[in-house]
Amino acid sequence: MRHGPRTLRAPVGHRVVAAVASPLVGYFVARLILELVTLPELPVYAVCLAVAAALGYRAWTARIDLSSDDAMRVHNTLVSQSISPDSVHRVTDSGRIEWRRGRDRPTRSLSETLRPPWWAFGTAATTYARNREELRSWVRTSGRRPGGQPAA
């Protein structure tokens, strides 16, 4: 069974807070660097805020793309990776995707789309649970035939 391309995202409010908090943290990191090291202020603020703005954009666009060509693309704040549904071992309730490359030990990747942040205090838990269940369903139905063989 094949599905069209779908995108799983965290709730908008959580993505907004993460995206807005990044430049604020960048500002305070710049202040800390200037307190510890004697460097010119303008370049330190510029570099820290540029990195923080890039991370804020990545936090806003964090998602899981479930494509129809049997590949899953996980976009987090720091890293993006492609994972084949055949290599996914399981999707845990803690928001981790366990998958294998060949015969190696399972790799555990945390996804911001599947797990609420610590500061959310359980808000929007149903959205994250729905994202986990939709991903589990996609893994079960993508790239596999009823007999357990990969789809051609």
Side-chain angles (χ1 to χ4, degrees):
M1 177 179 199
R2 292 190 177 242
H3 302 285
R6 290 181 291 183
T7 301
L8 304 177
R9 293 184 187 273
V12 173
H14 292 183
R15 291 186 294 130
V16 165
V17 170
V20 170
S22 291
L24 291 175
V25 170
Y27 170 77
F28 289 115
V29 167
R31 297 276 313 246
L32 179 64
I33 290 171
L34 291 173
E35 285 292 321
L36 298 175
V37 182
T38 318
L39 292 172
E41 285 187 24
L42 187 61
V44 170
Y45 280 118
V47 168
C48 286
L49 290 177
V51 169
L55 290 175
Y57 174 76
R58 294 276 303 182
W60 172 252
T61 60
R63 67 195 181 278
I64 297 178
D65 293 326
L66 306 175
S67 66
S68 58
D69 63 350
D70 295 335
M72 166 176 50
R73 187 94 171 126
V74 180
H75 302 275
N76 284 327
T77 300
L78 296 177
V79 68
S80 293
Q81 56 193 2
S82 291
I83 302 172
S84 167
D86 293 333
S87 64
V88 174
H89 179 63
R90 69 181 178 149
V91 178
T92 66
D93 286 335
S94 64
R96 296 185 192 282
I97 302 169
E98 293 183 7
W99 54 286
R100 287 194 167 100
R101 280 190 195 140
R103 297 192 102 101
D104 294 341
R105 292 178 46 181
T107 302
R108 291 174 184 90
S109 301
L110 183 63
S111 175
E112 298 161 8
T113 307
L114 303 176
R115 178 183 179 160
W118 65 268
W119 47 261
F121 302 112
T123 60
T126 56
T127 301
Y128 291 104
R130 185 175 52 244
N131 284 348
R132 287 191 299 270
E133 285 305 315
E134 191 168 343
L135 180 59
R136 288 175 184 140
S137 172
W138 184 84
V139 167
R140 280 192 305 269
T141 59
S142 292
R144 298 180 184 188
R145 290 190 181 155
Q149 299 295 324

